């Protein structure tokens, strides 16, 4: 094997360093005397990796990202499964980290020769019950120079559809009044087309930037039925390895593609999806669960990626596994300048 071939893949359990319910596993890939990292990942993704998937990467060239992805895809028993897609995506990101560490460059510099140093970010707080929050709390978060804010619009199954539509339209107006600007809203896959259409009749669309993931599944017919009722829809978080993007990009009023960089299969796949979205003139706003690789992707493709999501309630928990967490300054995430993805794990 030459110096650039992968000789070892490890799954490292760091759950003793994180809180209850938080992801606590790291993926480590070895080659050329260097270690590439990605994490945290869930125990389910770690379990899916610890076997044939990890073994399929051994002996392959760390710089051949497309070839590695094909090998991983071929070794998977469930290539379209959400957990498997996450596992492959995590390994793919660790390999990008390794490649960049070997070349002593940030990952963003491998993806583009003109990568930017800061990436715009928007803030989301999806566990906050906006109806119970005081206006000052909403105003304080919105005033922190984020590109914009995003809030939960989860369905209440205890209310009739018409009443729930009216309630959620009121939430939109409440946020707009508190912040003085439109906001994005995430339905968290809890709506159906009837509720979506009822909501569209109640809400002032000028108060919304987009409505994200309202329906329980990516049913083209379902989204086609409601797409024209909204100023913009945001979709793509649940795209997995092997999914076809064309159906989503063809929807009327698709205002944002919100891919999860790891969940869709990793940086190798995400870069291809960004190119497809750019060709369709749909801006990309990567999902915040995998912020670190999303920041490098956004730095490399500034014309296609408008901003990354910073999850206020969850991101600090993910950062505890690293000695040098990501920095945010005035609504911008600082792109790490260190080799690889940047942060160093607390446990090697």
């Amino acid at each position: 094997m030459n110096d650039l071939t992968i000789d070892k893949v490890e799954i490292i359990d760091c759950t003793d360093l994180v809180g209850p319910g938080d992801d606590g596993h790291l993926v480590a890939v070895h080659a050329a005397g260097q270690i590439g990292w990605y994490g945290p990942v869930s125990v389910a993704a770690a379990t899916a990796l610890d076997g044939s998937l990890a073994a399929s990467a051994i002996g392959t060239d760390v710089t051949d990202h497309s070839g590695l992805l094909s090998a991983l895809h071929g070794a998977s028993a469930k290539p379209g499964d959400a957990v498997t897609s996450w596992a492959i995506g995590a390994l793919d990101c660790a390999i990008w980290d390794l490649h960049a560490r070997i070349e002593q460059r940030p990952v963003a510099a491998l993806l583009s020769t003109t990568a930017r140093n800061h990436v715009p970010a928007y803030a989301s707080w999806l566990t906050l019950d906006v109806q119970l929050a005081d206006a000052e709390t909403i105003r304080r978060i919105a005033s922190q120079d984020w590109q914009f804010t995003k809030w939960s619009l989860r369905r209440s199954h205890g209310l009739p559809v018409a009443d729930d539509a009216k309630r959620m339209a009121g939430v939109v107006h409440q946020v707009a009044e508190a912040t003085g600007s439109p906001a994005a809203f995430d339905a968290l896959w809890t709506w159906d087309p009837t509720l979506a259409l009822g909501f569209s009749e109640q809400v002032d669309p000028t108060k919304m930037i987009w409505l994200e993931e309202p329906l329980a599944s990516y049913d083209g017919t379902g989204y086609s039925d409601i797409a024209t009722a909204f100023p913009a829809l945001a979709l793509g978080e649940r795209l997995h390895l092997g999914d076809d993007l064309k159906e989503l990009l063809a929807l009327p009023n698709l205002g944002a593609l919100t891919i999860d960089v790891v969940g869709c299969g990793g940086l190798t796949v995400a870069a291809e999806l960004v190119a497809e979205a750019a060709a369709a003139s749909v801006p990309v706003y990567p999902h915040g669960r995998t912020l670190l690789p999303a920041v490098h992707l956004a730095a490399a493709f500034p014309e296609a990626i408008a901003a990354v999501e910073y999850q206020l309630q969850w991101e600090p928990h993910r950062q505890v596994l690293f000695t040098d967490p990501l920095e945010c300054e005035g609504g911008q995430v600082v792109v790490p300048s260190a080799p690889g993805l940047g942060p160093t794990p607390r446990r090697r």
Side-chain angles (χ1 to χ4, degrees), residues 66-242:
S66 295
L68 275 162
L69 185 65
S70 295
L72 294 172
H73 203 179
S76 169
K78 301 178 180 179
D81 174 71
V83 172
T84 302
S85 189
W86 249 88
I88 291 174
L91 185 52
D92 176 84
C93 287
I95 292 167
W96 275 99
D97 182 59
L98 174 59
H99 180 185
R101 286 176 187 268
I102 291 171
E103 296 204 14
Q104 288 294 290
R105 291 193 288 166
V107 166
L110 288 185
L111 293 168
S112 169
T113 58
T114 57
R116 52 186 168 176
N117 297 322
H118 291 74
V119 171
Y122 75 90
S124 66
W125 192 352
L126 301 181
T127 57
L128 181 70
D129 188 330
V130 178
Q131 281 196 309
L132 298 178
D134 61 273
E136 182 54 37
T137 299
I138 298 170
R139 196 159 31 240
R140 174 176 54 80
I141 294 168
S143 67
Q144 294 171 356
D145 294 325
W146 303 104
Q147 296 298 301
F148 54 88
T149 57
K150 185 175 77 176
W151 310 88
S152 170
L153 272 184
R154 184 180 275 107
R155 179 177 190 170
S156 173
H157 289 282
L159 290 175
V161 169
D163 292 344
D164 207 19
K166 184 177 181 179
R167 175 189 67 84
M168 290 190 290
V171 169
V172 171
H173 298 166
Q174 177 187 350
V175 170
E177 183 177 346
T179 63
S181 60
F185 294 89
D186 194 332
L188 299 160
W189 323 305
T190 60
W191 296 19
D192 58 29
T194 302
L195 177 59
L197 292 172
F199 171 83
S200 71
E201 294 171 356
Q202 297 276 350
V203 74
D204 180 350
T206 66
K207 309 299 185 185
M208 297 179 65
I209 295 173
W210 73 55
L211 177 67
E212 185 170 354
E213 304 284 0
L215 304 184
S217 65
Y218 283 143
D219 183 294
T221 302
Y223 274 113
S224 295
D225 288 343
I226 70 169
T228 55
F230 295 94
L233 286 170
L235 304 170
E237 177 185 330
R238 290 174 295 166
L239 286 170
H240 301 142
L241 185 62

